[in-house]
């Protein structure tokens, strides 16, 4: 063995001796750290402490005038939540007060009737009642027998246009989504959507008041 090899071997032996000398103390320190972590107060509320979390629907809010025409707003949780947190959110007084204020004031804000109110104009007004960061609008659908009838009629681009809207499926009903509500409004853009319609007939850049599907495409 050369002198250089002997030197390296000696250095390795010294390092191992030092390691084994301090090993018991390292184990003690590790145990103490684990104990301290266990004693730290929990920062997660128990009702949020679950792997079973998902984005949930908070409420379908019908905002109507005296003729029962208007919009149906679908509110959802902003983030994934547990069932327990969902129930807590649904019971929040400030949130339910905001819902009631929107329902009570919308018709008068638009002159007493929501029948002819553009869905984007309604969305802009509804946004002023967003009082809770844990809840946001997911969709807005037009609502009411007379308002839905506005979206039934002969479409020059569709043969055998649908002549009625099934309230069970709401196929053909106009709606907008969260991107439209929170981002397109800011950009001054408007895309109108038609529920369960397909292809070029599923959206429009203007409020087209006629059918957007054919009787052959009817779901049921």
């Amino acid at each position: 063995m050369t002198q250089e090899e002997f030197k390296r071997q000696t250095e390795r032996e010294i390092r191992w001796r030092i390691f084994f000398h301090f090993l018991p103390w390292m184990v003690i320190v590790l145990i103490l750290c684990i104990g301290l972590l266990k004693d730290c107060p929990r920062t997660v509320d128990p009702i949020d402490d679950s792997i079973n979390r998902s984005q949930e629907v908070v409420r379908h809010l019908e905002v109507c005038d005296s003729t029962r025409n208007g919009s149906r707003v679908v509110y959802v949780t902003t983030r994934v939540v547990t069932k327990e947190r969902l129930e807590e959110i649904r019971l929040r007084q400030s949130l339910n007060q905001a819902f009631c204020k929107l329902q009570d004031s919308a018709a008068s804000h638009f002159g007493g009737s929501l029948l002819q109110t553009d869905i984007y104009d309604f969305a802009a007004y509804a946004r002023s009642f967003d009082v809770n960061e844990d809840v946001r609008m997911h969709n807005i659908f037009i609502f009411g027998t007379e308002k839905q009838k506005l979206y039934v009629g002969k479409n020059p681009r569709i043969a055998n246009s649908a002549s009625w809207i099934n309230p069970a499926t709401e196929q053909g009903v106009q709606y907008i989504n969260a991107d439209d509500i929170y981002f397109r409004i800011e950009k001054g853009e408007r895309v109108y959507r038609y529920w369960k319609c397909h292809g070029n007939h599923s959206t429009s850049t203007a409020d087209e008041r006629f059918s957007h599907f054919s009787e052959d495409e009817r779901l049921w």
Side-chain angles (χ1 to χ4, degrees), residues 70-88:
S71 297
R72 175 169 59 86
V73 187
V74 182
Y75 286 92
V76 299
T77 56
T78 305
R79 295 173 287 275
V80 295
V81 296
T82 62
K83 295 294 184 182
E84 293 80 7
R85 176 59 69 189
L86 173 63
E87 292 307 311
E88 184 275 325

Side-chain angles (χ1 to χ4, degrees), residues 2-15:
T2 65
Q3 184 176 359
E4 184 65 28
E5 290 174 340
F6 177 78
K7 182 179 179 181
R8 286 199 296 268
Q9 182 177 344
T10 303
E11 289 175 349
R12 284 197 297 269
E13 290 176 353
I14 292 172
R15 284 197 293 268

Side-chain angles (χ1 to χ4, degrees), residues 141-159:
F141 294 83
I142 61 164
F143 178 82
T145 302
E146 295 303 317
K147 196 168 181 75
Q148 289 184 357
K149 281 182 180 179
L150 297 175
Y151 298 91
V152 174
K154 186 176 180 180
N155 186 332
R157 302 190 301 272
I158 298 179

Side-chain angles (χ1 to χ4, degrees), residues 112-136:
S113 173
L114 295 173
L115 181 62
Q116 300 295 334
T117 301
D118 185 278
I119 196 169
Y120 274 92
D121 294 337
F122 172 81
Y125 182 67
R127 279 182 56 176
S128 65
F129 294 86
D130 279 356
V131 299
N132 196 301
E133 65 179 9
D134 293 330
V135 177
R136 66 180 307 186

Side-chain angles (χ1 to χ4, degrees), residues 4-201:
E4 184 65 28
E5 290 174 340
F6 177 78
K7 182 179 179 181
R8 286 199 296 268
Q9 182 177 344
T10 303
E11 289 175 349
R12 284 197 297 269
E13 290 176 353
I14 292 172
R15 284 197 293 268
W16 279 110
R17 287 174 183 173
I18 293 172
F19 174 76
F20 284 114
H21 176 77
F22 287 103
L23 181 60
W25 293 104
M26 293 167 63
V27 172
I28 292 171
V29 171
L30 179 61
I31 293 172
L32 288 174
C33 289
I34 293 172
L36 289 172
L37 288 173
K38 286 186 176 180
D39 290 337
C40 288
R42 295 175 64 87
T43 57
V44 178
D45 193 309
I47 68 173
D48 296 317
D49 190 12
S50 173
I51 61 171
N52 298 315
R53 295 181 294 173
S54 60
Q55 189 175 45
E56 299 284 352
V57 174
V58 176
R59 187 167 174 182
H60 287 251
L61 187 73
E62 296 173 2
V63 183
C64 309
D65 58 23
S66 59
T67 65
R68 292 288 296 165
N69 289 289
S71 297
R72 175 169 59 86
V73 187
V74 182
Y75 286 92
V76 299
T77 56
T78 305
R79 295 173 287 275
V80 295
V81 296
T82 62
K83 295 294 184 182
E84 293 80 7
R85 176 59 69 189
L86 173 63
E87 292 307 311
E88 184 275 325
I89 290 173
R90 285 175 171 170
L91 293 173
R92 290 180 185 176
Q93 185 177 8
S94 61
L95 182 64
N96 287 290
Q97 286 177 342
F99 287 162
C100 289
K101 288 179 180 178
L102 174 58
Q103 288 177 311
D104 293 342
S105 65
S108 60
H109 177 79
F110 290 102
S113 173
L114 295 173
L115 181 62
Q116 300 295 334
T117 301
D118 185 278
I119 196 169
Y120 274 92
D121 294 337
F122 172 81
Y125 182 67
R127 279 182 56 176
S128 65
F129 294 86
D130 279 356
V131 299
N132 196 301
E133 65 179 9
D134 293 330
V135 177
R136 66 180 307 186
M137 289 181 277
H138 185 66
N139 291 118
I140 299 176
F141 294 83
I142 61 164
F143 178 82
T145 302
E146 295 303 317
K147 196 168 181 75
Q148 289 184 357
K149 281 182 180 179
L150 297 175
Y151 298 91
V152 174
K154 186 176 180 180
N155 186 332
R157 302 190 301 272
I158 298 179
N160 194 24
S161 302
S163 58
W164 60 286
I165 287 179
N166 185 339
T169 65
E170 295 189 322
Q171 186 178 11
V173 163
Q174 188 184 78
Y175 77 102
I176 54 178
N177 62 28
D179 286 342
D180 303 324
I181 296 166
Y182 292 104
F183 300 110
R184 283 197 169 83
I185 287 180
E186 297 296 330
K187 296 179 180 179
E189 301 174 354
R190 296 194 175 194
V191 173
Y192 298 88
R193 305 179 189 279
Y194 304 92
W195 188 246
K196 301 297 183 182
C197 296
H198 306 291
N200 294 332
H201 305 302

